[in-house]
Amino acid sequence: MPIRRRAVDQPREGDTPKAQSWQVICTGRTGSRTPRVLSDGHPAAEDAKAALVKMFQNKADATDWPPTRAAYERGLREAREHGHTTVFAREYGIRPAPTKAPGGNAA
């Protein structure tokens, strides 16, 4: 049986698109590759990128062991330049938040 959408769910011509938010995510390179959301609700990609940079700055400042500090500083540099990085076999980046379906389920 085909799924029918109600008329109120259909976009109308001239409607402005809903504001989209951005997330900072972390994905492991082994096992489950389902992304873990580290922070959510950033109004623009630049804000999410700034949150990623701040996270790596805090991690670098919190350690005094040189190899760990060097890894976090490299991650900080790559996050500033590209908006994504891989540190200790984890991929960090930003993405648009998934849109919600009318019933509250992710689309």
Side-chain angles (χ1 to χ4, degrees):
M1 174 183 277
I3 297 174
R4 294 183 187 173
R5 296 186 69 155
R6 296 179 300 162
V8 294
D9 295 339
Q10 299 295 327
R12 294 191 180 111
E13 189 174 333
D15 282 352
T16 57
K18 293 181 182 177
Q20 188 175 34
S21 65
W22 288 75
Q23 299 174 329
V24 176
I25 60 167
C26 172
T27 306
R29 299 188 86 184
T30 60
S32 174
R33 294 197 42 89
T34 303
R36 190 172 49 147
V37 177
L38 301 176
S39 67
D40 196 7
H42 303 287
E46 293 79 24
D47 297 327
K49 187 174 174 181
L52 180 63
V53 167
K54 182 169 176 43
M55 181 189 74
F56 274 105
Q57 184 65 55
N58 291 343
K59 286 178 177 282
D61 292 344
T63 186
D64 58 351
W65 197 51
T68 302
R69 185 174 188 81
Y72 285 136
E73 287 174 350
R74 181 184 52 78
L76 174 63
R77 188 173 55 255
E78 290 177 356
R80 278 189 186 131
E81 293 173 6
H82 308 291
H84 61 85
T85 186
T86 302
V87 177
F88 298 126
R90 289 188 175 89
E91 298 170 3
Y92 296 89
I94 62 173
R95 72 170 184 191
T99 57
K100 302 281 182 177
N105 298 327

